[in-house]
């Protein structure tokens, strides 16, 4: 999404999701998505980790075509809506998705409606600035960059 701030770029995304692909997900999974903080959707597609594999290209093409058929393509959150429709369409489709705990790929950052355990903190891989206006997004990005950088070396 365009409202994602990668706050810990030094953390390898493959290392973050590997334990879930190894223990929790179907071996056919080709995309990792974060479990959503709200109950009406199976996941939040703000950050996707996609395997480099023909099956991933097939999944993304299927999702795009589904979104286009449903009249969703290029509307707000269309990719998440189309992916949720695909995910819920069958066990076979669901096997392509590895849904990881909410803070593995992204943590939400907003000033309403979330439990503190769901909120972004320094050290998390990415902040999803959902529901914030542009001024708040820019302010967050400046603050997070400062919080995420190592302290300056002492002047001696």
């Amino acid at each position: 999404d365009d409202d994602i701030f990668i706050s810990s770029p030094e953390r390898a995304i493959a290392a973050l999701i590997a334990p879930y692909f190894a223990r929790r997900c179907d071996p056919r999974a080709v995309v990792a998505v974060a479990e959503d903080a709200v109950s009406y959707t199976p996941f939040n597609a703000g950050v996707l980790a996609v395997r480099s594999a023909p099956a991933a290209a097939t999944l993304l093409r299927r999702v795009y075509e589904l979104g286009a058929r449903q009249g969703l393509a290029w509307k707000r959150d269309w990719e998440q809506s189309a992916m949720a429709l695909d995910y819920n369409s069958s066990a076979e489709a669901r096997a392509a998705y590895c849904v990881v705990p909410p803070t593995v790929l992204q943590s939400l950052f907003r000033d309403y409606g979330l439990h503190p355990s769901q909120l972004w903190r320094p050290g998390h891989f990415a902040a999803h600035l959902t529901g914030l206006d542009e001024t708040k997004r820019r302010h967050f990005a400046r603050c997070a960059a400062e919080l995420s950088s190592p302290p300056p070396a002492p002047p001696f």
Side-chain angles (χ1 to χ4, degrees):
D1 281 3
D2 66 351
D3 59 351
I4 296 291
F5 177 79
I6 305 297
S7 52
S8 293
E10 73 284 354
R11 298 182 73 194
I13 199 165
L16 296 173
I17 61 174
Y20 301 97
F21 271 94
R23 292 191 309 260
R24 180 172 155 166
C25 298
D26 191 290
R28 297 170 290 174
V30 292
V31 64
V33 291
E35 183 181 317
D36 207 343
V38 295
S39 59
Y40 57 83
T41 181
F43 47 75
N44 187 304
V47 173
L48 303 174
V50 182
R51 285 188 179 186
S52 177
T58 300
L59 168 69
L60 295 175
R61 193 175 306 105
R62 184 174 72 228
V63 166
Y64 177 78
E65 290 168 358
L66 178 59
R69 278 195 313 276
Q70 296 291 324
L72 299 170
W74 308 117
K75 292 183 180 175
R76 182 182 166 156
D77 298 334
W78 78 269
E79 75 287 356
Q80 181 166 308
S81 299
M83 289 180 101
L85 287 171
D86 181 62
Y87 179 86
N88 287 321
S89 69
S90 69
E92 182 71 24
R94 201 168 13 267
Y97 297 84
C98 181
V99 182
V100 301
T103 59
V104 173
L105 288 173
Q106 63 181 356
S107 301
L108 299 179
F109 185 92
R110 65 179 179 215
D111 48 5
Y112 62 92
L114 292 175
H115 188 273
S117 67
Q118 298 169 318
L119 295 174
W120 177 87
R121 290 186 303 281
H124 285 186
F125 177 70
H128 194 165
L129 310 177
T130 173
L132 296 182
D133 64 36
E134 187 65 28
T135 302
K136 287 181 180 178
R137 287 182 191 187
R138 289 175 193 251
H139 177 71
F140 171 82
R142 282 192 302 274
C143 293
E146 195 170 306
L147 286 170
S148 298
S149 11
F156 51 84

